Amino acid sequence: MSLTIYTQKDLTTSLLKDKTIGIIGFGAQGKAQALNLRDSGLKVKIALKSVSKSIPLAQELGFEVCTLQEVAQECDVIAFLLPDEWHKQVFDEVAPYLKRNQVLLFSHGFSIHFKEITPPPFVDVIMVAPKGAGKAVRDEYVAGRGIVSLIGVEQNHSGEAKNIALEYACGLGSGRSAIFESSFKDECECDLFSEQSVICGGLDALIRAGFETLVEAGYPEEIAYFECLHEVKLVADLIYANGLQSMREHISNTAEFGDIMAGKQIITAESKEAMREILRKIQSGEFAKSFLKERDTHFPKLRRERKILQKSQIEEVGKKMRGLMPWVTH
Ligand SMILES: NC(=O)c1ccc[n+]([C@@H]2O[C@H](COP(=O)([O-])OP(=O)(O)OC[C@H]3O[C@@H](n4cnc5c(N)ncnc54)[C@H](OP(=O)(O)O)[C@@H]3O)[C@@H](O)[C@H]2O)c1
């Protein structure tokens, strides 16, 4: 199944030109998106709680900062660019002031898809989800390029929801590469799946298991660190730039032969079954429910695991090794 792709040249409207975009949150995405939209000629305000630590930076960068009530009263587009688990709390604060044809915008489908938030029927609900971290969203824009974004429309009260999403995505710079027409459901479920199975959960567990295997077999921890963690970036960069085949062409024949022989022993039919189970829990809402329960109980699992990892051998040796090459840390 392939998606429709849009670029800057497909824009047929200029609806955002006369509108004010209110961005709630000034973290990784909030800051990057606000700067890109402003540099694209759009009017942007930042909305934060009165006690927010982000206020000085937003003001220093020249943004007008308003309250959550003001963002709903004064802005045409309201972008929820704060952690997903706090969307509902903030939505409940802005909801009483929402007006007809305002646009609620999300960069991840979680809170709408899992019905943490139920917007009133008289607003548009759209998604513009850049497929990259905030820093990349900004860096690519400044370099004259753009991060790919997925857009989606959940509610189209105004009749212009998709065009607004396209314009916003172009304002982020995504029209310079590609804007894929998707949905809250697909973005959310695939994003959670990849975080859990591949890019965060899977990779983290693979690195740790590899490191532990070498150290338990009596090899020096420094070598185990470089082989199992540090060099991940070298291979990831090759895969990112030109794909798996090209990565194999750039590594030695020994490495390629080892890749072919060993990969299937590590990721087995059981691993694939485990992935299907992870996907099933995402699709059924079981994962979302357990995450929201974690939030409601003040994150006991997250706090415990953070402490364990902080004190782990791989992190201790990592700190020492990165200290020898401070330029890798940012
Ligand atoms: N990070 C990514 O790479 C990425 C990529 C694509 C999409 N997204 C999506 O983009 C959205 C924002 O993610 P993010 O990573 O940019 O978040 P983030 O950096 O963690 O957001 C931090 C900002 O949110 C504010 N904030 C935190 N809790 C708040 C609350 N309860 N009420 C009001 N403001 C609050 C913080 O204010 P204080 O300074 O006062 O704490 C800060 O300004 C999420 O939906 C996420 O899924 C993220």
Side-chain angles (χ1 to χ4, degrees), residues 25-30 48-49 52-54 81-84 86-87 89-90 107-108 130 132-134:
F26 202 68
Q29 286 295 328
L48 290 161
K49 289 187 159 184
S52 171
K53 304 187 290 295
S54 310
L81 296 183
L82 67 151
D84 299 284
W86 302 120
H87 285 188
Q89 190 189 65
V90 167
S107 281
H108 179 36

mmCIF file of all heavy atoms in Angstrom, residues 25-30 48-49 52-54 81-84 86-87 89-90 107-108 130 132-134, ligand 1:
data_model
loop_
_atom_site.group_PDB
_atom_site.id
_atom_site.type_symbol
_atom_site.label_atom_id
_atom_site.label_comp_id
_atom_site.label_asym_id
_atom_site.label_seq_id
_atom_site.Cartn_x
_atom_site.Cartn_y
_atom_site.Cartn_z
ATOM 1 N N GLY A 25 4.131 24.340 24.442
ATOM 2 C CA GLY A 25 5.361 23.581 24.703
ATOM 3 C C GLY A 25 6.507 24.181 23.919
ATOM 4 O O GLY A 25 6.345 24.571 22.752
ATOM 5 N N PHE A 26 7.658 24.270 24.557
ATOM 6 C CA PHE A 26 8.842 24.813 23.881
ATOM 7 C C PHE A 26 10.030 23.891 24.158
ATOM 8 O O PHE A 26 11.078 24.306 24.599
ATOM 9 C CB PHE A 26 9.113 26.240 24.361
ATOM 10 C CG PHE A 26 9.932 27.059 23.386
ATOM 11 C CD1 PHE A 26 9.393 27.437 22.150
ATOM 12 C CD2 PHE A 26 11.231 27.442 23.687
ATOM 13 C CE1 PHE A 26 10.136 28.187 21.255
ATOM 14 C CE2 PHE A 26 11.981 28.208 22.797
ATOM 15 C CZ PHE A 26 11.429 28.579 21.580
ATOM 16 N N GLY A 27 9.802 22.594 23.901
ATOM 17 C CA GLY A 27 10.867 21.597 24.084
ATOM 18 C C GLY A 27 11.457 21.226 22.742
ATOM 19 O O GLY A 27 11.640 22.093 21.873
ATOM 20 N N ALA A 28 11.718 19.932 22.555
ATOM 21 C CA ALA A 28 12.395 19.457 21.344
ATOM 22 C C ALA A 28 11.626 19.883 20.084
ATOM 23 O O ALA A 28 12.170 20.576 19.212
ATOM 24 C CB ALA A 28 12.529 17.937 21.411
ATOM 25 N N GLN A 29 10.360 19.504 19.965
ATOM 26 C CA GLN A 29 9.586 19.837 18.766
ATOM 27 C C GLN A 29 9.072 21.274 18.798
ATOM 28 O O GLN A 29 9.079 21.962 17.774
ATOM 29 C CB GLN A 29 8.395 18.878 18.617
ATOM 30 C CG GLN A 29 8.781 17.480 18.169
ATOM 31 C CD GLN A 29 9.369 17.439 16.769
ATOM 32 O OE1 GLN A 29 9.022 18.220 15.898
ATOM 33 N NE2 GLN A 29 10.290 16.517 16.557
ATOM 34 N N GLY A 30 8.605 21.729 19.970
ATOM 35 C CA GLY A 30 8.015 23.064 20.051
ATOM 36 C C GLY A 30 8.979 24.137 19.568
ATOM 37 O O GLY A 30 8.616 24.979 18.729
ATOM 38 N N LEU A 48 2.603 28.563 27.414
ATOM 39 C CA LEU A 48 3.212 27.748 28.472
ATOM 40 C C LEU A 48 2.502 28.021 29.788
ATOM 41 O O LEU A 48 1.838 29.052 29.941
ATOM 42 C CB LEU A 48 4.701 28.104 28.599
ATOM 43 C CG LEU A 48 5.599 27.658 27.431
ATOM 44 C CD1 LEU A 48 6.906 28.435 27.432
ATOM 45 C CD2 LEU A 48 5.869 26.160 27.465
ATOM 46 N N LYS A 49 2.683 27.105 30.728
ATOM 47 C CA LYS A 49 2.153 27.347 32.068
ATOM 48 C C LYS A 49 2.924 28.513 32.683
ATOM 49 O O LYS A 49 4.103 28.718 32.352
ATOM 50 C CB LYS A 49 2.365 26.099 32.934
ATOM 51 C CG LYS A 49 1.463 24.960 32.530
ATOM 52 C CD LYS A 49 1.588 23.842 33.518
ATOM 53 C CE LYS A 49 0.367 22.957 33.418
ATOM 54 N NZ LYS A 49 0.338 21.900 34.380
ATOM 55 N N SER A 52 6.385 27.671 33.883
ATOM 56 C CA SER A 52 7.228 26.882 32.965
ATOM 57 C C SER A 52 8.681 27.350 32.942
ATOM 58 O O SER A 52 8.966 28.546 32.832
ATOM 59 C CB SER A 52 6.656 26.968 31.553
ATOM 60 O OG SER A 52 7.563 26.398 30.653
ATOM 61 N N LYS A 53 9.584 26.377 32.930
ATOM 62 C CA LYS A 53 11.032 26.660 32.824
ATOM 63 C C LYS A 53 11.395 27.137 31.418
ATOM 64 O O LYS A 53 12.470 27.670 31.195
ATOM 65 C CB LYS A 53 11.843 25.370 33.074
ATOM 66 C CG LYS A 53 11.576 24.670 34.376
ATOM 67 C CD LYS A 53 12.557 23.510 34.597
ATOM 68 C CE LYS A 53 12.370 22.311 33.683
ATOM 69 N NZ LYS A 53 11.118 21.554 33.820
ATOM 70 N N SER A 54 10.500 26.887 30.454
ATOM 71 C CA SER A 54 10.819 27.203 29.052
ATOM 72 C C SER A 54 10.572 28.673 28.697
ATOM 73 O O SER A 54 10.991 29.117 27.623
ATOM 74 C CB SER A 54 9.969 26.342 28.119
ATOM 75 O OG SER A 54 10.027 24.990 28.453
ATOM 76 N N LEU A 81 2.509 20.574 21.434
ATOM 77 C CA LEU A 81 3.883 20.085 21.316
ATOM 78 C C LEU A 81 4.527 19.952 22.694
ATOM 79 O O LEU A 81 5.579 20.518 22.985
ATOM 80 C CB LEU A 81 4.678 21.001 20.381
ATOM 81 C CG LEU A 81 4.147 21.010 18.938
ATOM 82 C CD1 LEU A 81 5.002 21.861 18.030
ATOM 83 C CD2 LEU A 81 4.024 19.598 18.371
ATOM 84 N N LEU A 82 3.835 19.210 23.531
ATOM 85 C CA LEU A 82 4.335 18.871 24.862
ATOM 86 C C LEU A 82 4.192 17.358 24.992
ATOM 87 O O LEU A 82 3.545 16.729 24.152
ATOM 88 C CB LEU A 82 3.533 19.606 25.934
ATOM 89 C CG LEU A 82 2.070 19.200 26.091
ATOM 90 C CD1 LEU A 82 1.645 19.419 27.529
ATOM 91 C CD2 LEU A 82 1.168 20.003 25.169
ATOM 92 N N PRO A 83 4.800 16.736 26.022
ATOM 93 C CA PRO A 83 4.763 15.271 26.108
ATOM 94 C C PRO A 83 3.335 14.727 26.027
ATOM 95 O O PRO A 83 2.403 15.286 26.630
ATOM 96 C CB PRO A 83 5.387 14.993 27.475
ATOM 97 C CG PRO A 83 6.281 16.161 27.725
ATOM 98 C CD PRO A 83 5.577 17.336 27.122
ATOM 99 N N ASP A 84 3.185 13.633 25.276
ATOM 100 C CA ASP A 84 1.850 13.076 24.984
ATOM 101 C C ASP A 84 1.027 12.805 26.242
ATOM 102 O O ASP A 84 -0.189 12.971 26.240
ATOM 103 C CB ASP A 84 2.005 11.780 24.176
ATOM 104 C CG ASP A 84 2.707 12.049 22.869
ATOM 105 O OD1 ASP A 84 2.061 12.593 21.964
ATOM 106 O OD2 ASP A 84 3.917 11.768 22.773
ATOM 107 N N TRP A 86 0.744 14.416 28.829
ATOM 108 C CA TRP A 86 0.147 15.612 29.449
ATOM 109 C C TRP A 86 -0.844 16.327 28.540
ATOM 110 O O TRP A 86 -1.373 17.380 28.874
ATOM 111 C CB TRP A 86 1.249 16.590 29.933
ATOM 112 C CG TRP A 86 2.170 15.932 30.905
ATOM 113 C CD1 TRP A 86 3.520 15.757 30.767
ATOM 114 C CD2 TRP A 86 1.825 15.284 32.149
ATOM 115 N NE1 TRP A 86 4.032 15.055 31.825
ATOM 116 C CE2 TRP A 86 3.018 14.751 32.689
ATOM 117 C CE3 TRP A 86 0.634 15.089 32.840
ATOM 118 C CZ2 TRP A 86 3.047 14.047 33.896
ATOM 119 C CZ3 TRP A 86 0.657 14.382 34.044
ATOM 120 C CH2 TRP A 86 1.861 13.873 34.550
ATOM 121 N N HIS A 87 -1.083 15.767 27.346
ATOM 122 C CA HIS A 87 -2.014 16.418 26.409
ATOM 123 C C HIS A 87 -3.401 16.594 27.014
ATOM 124 O O HIS A 87 -4.025 17.633 26.868
ATOM 125 C CB HIS A 87 -2.135 15.600 25.111
ATOM 126 C CG HIS A 87 -0.953 15.733 24.214
ATOM 127 N ND1 HIS A 87 -0.919 15.222 22.943
ATOM 128 C CD2 HIS A 87 0.260 16.323 24.398
ATOM 129 C CE1 HIS A 87 0.244 15.491 22.385
ATOM 130 N NE2 HIS A 87 0.989 16.147 23.249
ATOM 131 N N GLN A 89 -4.408 16.782 30.161
ATOM 132 C CA GLN A 89 -4.439 17.803 31.224
ATOM 133 C C GLN A 89 -4.511 19.214 30.603
ATOM 134 O O GLN A 89 -5.313 20.052 31.022
ATOM 135 C CB GLN A 89 -3.155 17.660 32.053
ATOM 136 C CG GLN A 89 -3.113 18.462 33.309
ATOM 137 C CD GLN A 89 -1.709 18.420 33.922
ATOM 138 O OE1 GLN A 89 -0.756 18.926 33.331
ATOM 139 N NE2 GLN A 89 -1.592 17.818 35.092
ATOM 140 N N VAL A 90 -3.676 19.432 29.577
ATOM 141 C CA VAL A 90 -3.646 20.748 28.932
ATOM 142 C C VAL A 90 -4.922 20.971 28.113
ATOM 143 O O VAL A 90 -5.500 22.066 28.125
ATOM 144 C CB VAL A 90 -2.375 20.866 28.062
ATOM 145 C CG1 VAL A 90 -2.439 22.062 27.132
ATOM 146 C CG2 VAL A 90 -1.142 20.958 28.964
ATOM 147 N N SER A 107 1.667 16.329 16.742
ATOM 148 C CA SER A 107 2.790 15.794 15.978
ATOM 149 C C SER A 107 2.974 14.295 16.214
ATOM 150 O O SER A 107 3.961 13.712 15.773
ATOM 151 C CB SER A 107 4.086 16.551 16.319
ATOM 152 O OG SER A 107 4.100 17.779 15.639
ATOM 153 N N HIS A 108 2.064 13.714 16.942
ATOM 154 C CA HIS A 108 2.050 12.256 17.146
ATOM 155 C C HIS A 108 0.580 11.900 17.415
ATOM 156 O O HIS A 108 -0.144 12.661 18.060
ATOM 157 C CB HIS A 108 2.944 11.919 18.347
ATOM 158 C CG HIS A 108 3.010 10.461 18.708
ATOM 159 N ND1 HIS A 108 2.994 9.446 17.782
ATOM 160 C CD2 HIS A 108 3.108 9.846 19.921
ATOM 161 C CE1 HIS A 108 3.078 8.278 18.402
ATOM 162 N NE2 HIS A 108 3.136 8.491 19.699
ATOM 163 N N PRO A 130 6.608 15.252 12.050
ATOM 164 C CA PRO A 130 7.912 15.154 11.388
ATOM 165 C C PRO A 130 8.584 13.839 11.774
ATOM 166 O O PRO A 130 8.531 13.442 12.937
ATOM 167 C CB PRO A 130 8.707 16.337 11.966
ATOM 168 C CG PRO A 130 7.751 17.151 12.765
ATOM 169 C CD PRO A 130 6.603 16.260 13.117
ATOM 170 N N GLY A 132 11.494 12.912 12.539
ATOM 171 C CA GLY A 132 12.847 13.185 13.013
ATOM 172 C C GLY A 132 12.776 13.934 14.324
ATOM 173 O O GLY A 132 11.724 14.487 14.685
ATOM 174 N N ALA A 133 13.888 13.940 15.055
ATOM 175 C CA ALA A 133 13.956 14.646 16.327
ATOM 176 C C ALA A 133 13.902 16.160 16.075
ATOM 177 O O ALA A 133 14.172 16.624 14.957
ATOM 178 C CB ALA A 133 15.250 14.279 17.038
ATOM 179 N N GLY A 134 13.571 16.915 17.135
ATOM 180 C CA GLY A 134 13.453 18.366 16.996
ATOM 181 C C GLY A 134 14.709 19.005 16.409
ATOM 182 O O GLY A 134 14.627 19.872 15.540
HETATM 183 N N1 LIG B 1 10.967 14.411 20.429
HETATM 184 C C1 LIG B 1 10.814 13.961 19.205
HETATM 185 O O1 LIG B 1 11.783 13.596 18.551
HETATM 186 C C2 LIG B 1 9.452 13.917 18.540
HETATM 187 C C3 LIG B 1 9.381 13.579 17.180
HETATM 188 C C4 LIG B 1 8.136 13.618 16.548
HETATM 189 C C5 LIG B 1 7.015 13.929 17.258
HETATM 190 N N2 LIG B 1 7.108 14.206 18.592
HETATM 191 C C6 LIG B 1 5.882 14.574 19.320
HETATM 192 O O2 LIG B 1 5.932 15.977 19.574
HETATM 193 C C7 LIG B 1 5.261 16.273 20.784
HETATM 194 C C8 LIG B 1 6.196 17.017 21.719
HETATM 195 O O3 LIG B 1 7.275 16.168 22.027
HETATM 196 P P1 LIG B 1 8.668 16.769 22.544
HETATM 197 O O4 LIG B 1 9.636 15.623 22.539
HETATM 198 O O5 LIG B 1 8.989 18.004 21.789
HETATM 199 O O6 LIG B 1 8.276 17.118 24.053
HETATM 200 P P2 LIG B 1 9.217 17.777 25.148
HETATM 201 O O7 LIG B 1 10.502 18.251 24.569
HETATM 202 O O8 LIG B 1 9.332 16.834 26.300
HETATM 203 O O9 LIG B 1 8.305 19.031 25.592
HETATM 204 C C9 LIG B 1 8.743 19.826 26.604
HETATM 205 C C10 LIG B 1 7.909 21.088 26.633
HETATM 206 O O10 LIG B 1 6.574 20.772 27.067
HETATM 207 C C11 LIG B 1 6.264 21.577 28.235
HETATM 208 N N3 LIG B 1 5.417 20.812 29.148
HETATM 209 C C12 LIG B 1 5.717 19.643 29.769
HETATM 210 N N4 LIG B 1 4.688 19.245 30.543
HETATM 211 C C13 LIG B 1 3.734 20.200 30.424
HETATM 212 C C14 LIG B 1 2.451 20.365 30.987
HETATM 213 N N5 LIG B 1 1.943 19.441 31.811
HETATM 214 N N6 LIG B 1 1.762 21.465 30.642
HETATM 215 C C15 LIG B 1 2.253 22.396 29.809
HETATM 216 N N7 LIG B 1 3.483 22.298 29.228
HETATM 217 C C16 LIG B 1 4.203 21.209 29.536
HETATM 218 C C17 LIG B 1 7.614 21.836 28.846
HETATM 219 O O11 LIG B 1 7.530 22.952 29.687
HETATM 220 P P3 LIG B 1 8.542 23.092 30.969
HETATM 221 O O12 LIG B 1 9.810 23.595 30.422
HETATM 222 O O13 LIG B 1 7.873 24.014 31.867
HETATM 223 O O14 LIG B 1 8.686 21.682 31.529
HETATM 224 C C18 LIG B 1 8.480 22.070 27.612
HETATM 225 O O15 LIG B 1 8.316 23.379 27.119
HETATM 226 C C19 LIG B 1 4.770 14.936 21.346
HETATM 227 O O16 LIG B 1 3.461 14.724 20.930
HETATM 228 C C20 LIG B 1 5.712 13.938 20.695
HETATM 229 O O17 LIG B 1 5.179 12.624 20.579
HETATM 230 C C21 LIG B 1 8.300 14.228 19.243
#
